[in-house]
Amino acid sequence: MAEMLRIAHIIARTEAEGPGVRTAIWTQGCTIRCPGCCNPELFGATGRREWTVDEVVAEVPADVAGITLLGGEPVEQAEGVTALALAIRARGQTVVLFSGFTREAIERRAPELLGVLDVLVDGPFVAGRPESGANEPRRWIGSQNQGLHFLSDRYGPSDFLGKNTMELRLSGGTVTVNGWPVSRGMGR
C-alpha cells in the first residue's frame, strides 16, 4: 500500500519558507498545539485531503531547491514524511523540516526520519520567546528555544540568517499569506 499523507496545502514556489526557492508543504494534524501557533487551523487531523507520496512529489517542480515541511506536525506522519523525503532527496533536492518535537523525541519516535533530512528546526514554538538574534535573527525560526540542526552539508548557519519575509498571493478572489511578517517580531 502506498504511503499516505494528510496535507493541508502546498505552495509550489516560495522564498519565505526556507533557503532558496522551495516548495512548502503543510501537513494536517498536530497534537502538540503550541499556544500562539500561527497555524491553529492545522491542529485537527481531519478535514483535509489525503495524498499519496507520489501525488505530493508530482506537485514539486524539478527546478526548486527542495521542500520545506511544516504543519500541523509533520513528525506525526513520520512514515509518509520519510517516504516523501526519500523521494525528494532521490531527485537531488533538499528537505527542511519544522517540528514542535525536539530532536531527541524524534530520535525515539522516528529515527529513520532524521537520516533523510538536510535541516531540522526542532522544539515547540514559545510565543513569549520570539527569535530575535543578538546581531541578526535566525530566519524562519519562530522562537529562541528552537534548535537548528544541519543534518547534511547542503546548508549551514549563514543560510538561516536574515529577516523574515511574507508572501501574498491572489488566486480566484482568495488571498493567501505565507511566511511571517517582520513587524510581529516572531517567526514560524
Side-chain angles (χ1 to χ4, degrees):
M1 184 171 111
E3 292 293 338
M4 301 297 289
L5 289 163
R6 292 181 316 277
I7 301 296
H9 51 275
I10 298 173
I11 295 177
R13 294 178 186 282
T14 178
E15 293 181 56
E17 303 296 348
V21 177
R22 313 186 65 72
T23 297
I25 303 166
W26 285 265
T27 62
Q28 182 70 42
C30 178
T31 60
I32 299 171
R33 300 177 181 227
C34 301
C37 175
C38 64
N39 295 320
E41 71 279 7
L42 303 183
F43 288 169
T46 60
R48 302 293 174 128
R49 178 178 160 210
E50 288 199 2
W51 299 56
T52 67
V53 168
D54 290 341
E55 288 173 320
V56 177
V57 170
E59 296 293 316
V60 180
D63 64 344
V64 299
I67 64 172
T68 297
L69 293 156
L70 312 122
E73 177 49 60
V75 175
E76 291 180 356
Q77 299 182 61
E79 288 182 22
V81 167
T82 300
L84 173 60
L86 281 166
I88 294 299
R89 297 273 306 265
R91 293 170 40 156
Q93 294 168 301
T94 60
V95 180
V96 175
L97 185 138
F98 286 81
S99 176
F101 290 106
T102 63
R103 180 178 180 170
E104 294 76 22
I106 297 169
E107 286 172 345
R108 289 189 301 273
R109 184 181 188 116
E112 67 285 350
L113 180 56
L114 294 175
V116 296
L117 301 177
D118 294 287
V119 178
L120 169 66
V121 179
D122 74 331
F125 171 71
V126 178
R129 297 193 60 209
E131 174 62 31
S132 59
N135 297 316
E136 192 169 16
R138 297 176 302 167
R139 191 170 182 198
W140 307 297
I141 310 298
S143 55
Q144 294 172 18
N145 64 291
Q146 292 175 308
L148 180 57
H149 307 276
F150 300 99
L151 304 175
S152 77
D153 62 359
R154 303 281 300 266
Y155 297 110
S158 65
D159 294 309
F160 280 76
L161 293 178
K163 294 182 178 179
N164 285 323
T165 58
M166 63 184 231
E167 297 171 341
L168 302 171
R169 289 179 174 73
L170 175 62
S171 177
T174 301
V175 175
T176 58
V177 179
N178 72 292
W180 202 270
V182 176
S183 63
R184 288 185 65 177
M186 298 185 291
R188 233 8 345 87

